[in-house]
Amino acid sequence: MTDFNAITKVVVIGGGYAGAVAANRLRLRRDVEITLVNPRPQFIERMRLHQFVAGTHEAAIGYDTLLGAGVRLIVDRAVRIDTAARRVELGSGRALDYDYVVYAVGSTAAVPASVPGATEFAYPIAEFEHAQRLRAALADVPAQAPIVVVGGGLTGIETAAELVEQGLVVTLVSGGKLAANFSNPARRSVTKWLSENGVEVREQARVGEVRRDGVVLTDGERVPGAITIWTAGFGVPELAARSGLRTDELGRLLTDETLTSIDDERIVAAGDAVAPSGRPLRMSCYAAQPLGAQAADNVLARIAGDEPAVLDVAFTACTVGLGSRAGAMQFSRRDDTPVPMYLGGRTAGWIKERVGLAGPIGTIRKEARKPGAIPTFLGLGRRKDLSPAEPQGVSKP
């Protein structure tokens, strides 16, 4: 019989898509004290930051509408996990004792210091504070001033599309193929929409320098820009490495297939900052929420003395929004490689808005109302069908 008089303390670090789901789901047991540590007092819809920048949507939501009864929110930043003492040290100087940690710190921008001028003049968009700064800067430039968006991934495409739909003059610079993880038919669909709507697309063009008035490509060509927006690449916080836990080359926490740290079984991870067996899933909300649910389930399993479940997820599709009315939805194999089938136009745009954007908030609220309500799997994919991981560097403490 379970002893509900013994309280288990769980600290969830990070209140994003993975952490919010995990915190709500941990309420499946009444004997768990749940503390959510997040640096902001509001939940940030990172999937809407390009819309926030363009002034077409807000991106902050109060946690009082998202977290279930019993979840304590502490607005602070975790700076170190003392695994020996089982304490999470906070930026304010406080420390939280724990029995288990859910490590859900997410990802952030990665503006390369190796590109001259990038850290000085480029505007990242991955964090709410970045987006606020960029939105203010855009409000101060003339309506027809040229804007450069660096990065041909989904964030760069959505940012360029949202800005051009608001009447701005936009050049999208992609170091490789545009939407490289899409099939050629889907890529052509995206490129056609961008071109027809006024975005100048520069593929296979690498930025060698960022200046106050634009960028200089590695071949010496100048691309004018009153503002340069940097969307190429993501990084993760250094909390794991700072805490003496092993990570992959990017800094994601290395875990086994149960999402448990290979260094400490009391730390379970979810979201963008986890690399299960060195095979991280694509950084996305699509993966973060099921991973958050499974991380919570596996913490609860350990509390009950049961074996935690092995991760069994993979991708089946990916959607990019093109302004307010269009998009492209690329279907994929279980290993996240594209197949020739895709949806485009208004249908894909509707799916992106109703499912890709509105759905994640509904998922968090569903868990707040009824813990355990959402499944932990992703579509029809199965991780066991994926090919073995390629060798990756490991950061050792």
Side-chain angles (χ1 to χ4, degrees):
M1 180 179 296
T2 301
D3 179 8
F4 286 105
N5 292 318
I7 299 298
T8 301
K9 296 180 179 180
V10 181
V11 176
V12 180
I13 305 176
Y17 294 105
V21 166
N24 282 333
R25 197 176 184 93
L26 285 165
R27 294 161 55 242
L28 281 165
R29 286 183 65 112
R30 300 194 307 272
D31 58 342
V32 175
E33 179 184 284
I34 308 156
T35 302
L36 176 63
V37 178
N38 194 68
R40 305 177 190 88
Q42 294 175 303
F43 179 92
I44 303 303
E45 287 192 88
R46 290 185 62 185
M47 295 174 65
R48 290 199 184 273
L49 287 180
H50 63 290
Q51 296 174 322
F52 173 80
V53 163
T56 60
H57 208 286
E58 292 304 311
I61 300 176
Y63 275 110
D64 59 332
T65 71
L66 298 177
L67 298 179
V71 178
R72 178 177 62 149
L73 173 66
I74 292 182
V75 180
D76 209 329
R77 186 177 300 276
V79 296
R80 181 173 173 269
I81 304 170
D82 184 340
T83 56
R86 293 187 196 162
R87 295 193 310 171
V88 176
E89 299 172 0
L90 305 179
S92 63
R94 297 177 61 187
L96 301 173
D97 295 329
Y98 70 82
D99 294 296
Y100 292 92
V101 162
V102 175
Y103 186 88
V105 298
S107 57
T108 187
V111 180
S114 59
V115 177
T119 57
E120 183 178 2
F121 297 118
Y123 288 78
I125 195 176
E127 303 276 3
F128 187 51
E129 292 76 14
H130 299 159
Q132 288 176 308
R133 175 172 169 259
L134 175 55
R135 180 169 169 167
L138 287 168
D140 287 340
V141 300
Q144 294 303 308
I147 307 298
V148 177
V149 178
V150 179
L154 304 189
T155 302
I157 292 168
E158 290 188 336
T159 302
E162 199 73 25
L163 293 177
V164 79
E165 195 171 68
Q166 301 310 306
L168 299 179
V169 179
V170 181
T171 299
L172 178 58
V173 179
S174 176
K177 291 182 178 180
L178 194 72
N181 60 322
F182 279 21
S183 64
N184 287 333
R187 291 182 57 252
R188 286 193 293 268
S189 174
V190 172
T191 302
K192 180 181 178 182
W193 188 96
L194 292 171
S195 299
E196 290 180 347
N197 285 273
V199 178
E200 181 182 354
V201 179
R202 305 292 299 276
E203 290 187 272
Q204 309 290 349
R206 296 190 175 278
V207 174
E209 181 183 359
V210 179
R211 297 178 179 176
R212 191 182 302 274
D213 59 353
V215 302
V216 181
L217 305 182
T218 52
D219 63 4
E221 181 184 356
R222 293 185 59 192
V223 180
I227 291 178
T228 297
I229 304 172
W230 197 278
T231 71
F234 290 91
V236 298
E238 298 178 350
L239 178 60
R242 198 184 305 126
S243 303
L245 301 167
R246 280 176 288 181
T247 68
D248 68 2
E249 289 180 328
L250 190 64
R252 290 172 290 217
L253 181 68
L254 284 174
T255 71
D256 62 19
E257 289 294 300
T258 71
L259 301 177
T260 304
S261 166
I262 61 174
D263 297 308
D264 191 325
E265 68 175 14
R266 291 181 177 270
I267 299 176
V268 181
D272 289 352
V274 58
S277 304
R279 298 189 301 172
L281 288 98
R282 177 169 21 102
M283 289 181 172
S284 64
C285 171
Y286 183 93
Q289 293 195 309
L291 291 179
Q294 179 148 357
D297 287 350
N298 284 354
V299 168
L300 296 176
R302 289 188 180 277
I303 294 172
D306 299 330
E307 285 296 317
V310 171
L311 185 64
D312 189 17
V313 297
F315 287 90
T316 57
C318 181
T319 308
V320 63
L322 298 171
S324 61
R325 295 181 296 276
M329 182 177 186
Q330 173 66 62
F331 295 95
S332 66
R333 301 181 182 88
R334 294 174 177 179
D335 63 356
D336 204 16
T337 58
V339 298
M341 184 172 67
Y342 80 99
L343 294 176
R346 290 180 180 271
T347 300
W350 183 90
I351 293 172
K352 174 67 174 181
E353 179 63 30
R354 296 302 179 91
V355 179
L357 290 176
I361 295 302
T363 296
I364 295 171
R365 287 177 172 151
K366 185 182 294 185
E367 281 291 319
R369 290 192 302 268
K370 183 180 179 182
I374 68 168
T376 58
F377 59 85
L378 294 179
L380 301 176
R382 291 293 179 263
R383 184 169 170 88
K384 64 187 178 184
D385 295 324
L386 303 186
S387 57
E390 295 180 2
Q392 297 190 19
V394 176
S395 172
K396 297 182 179 180

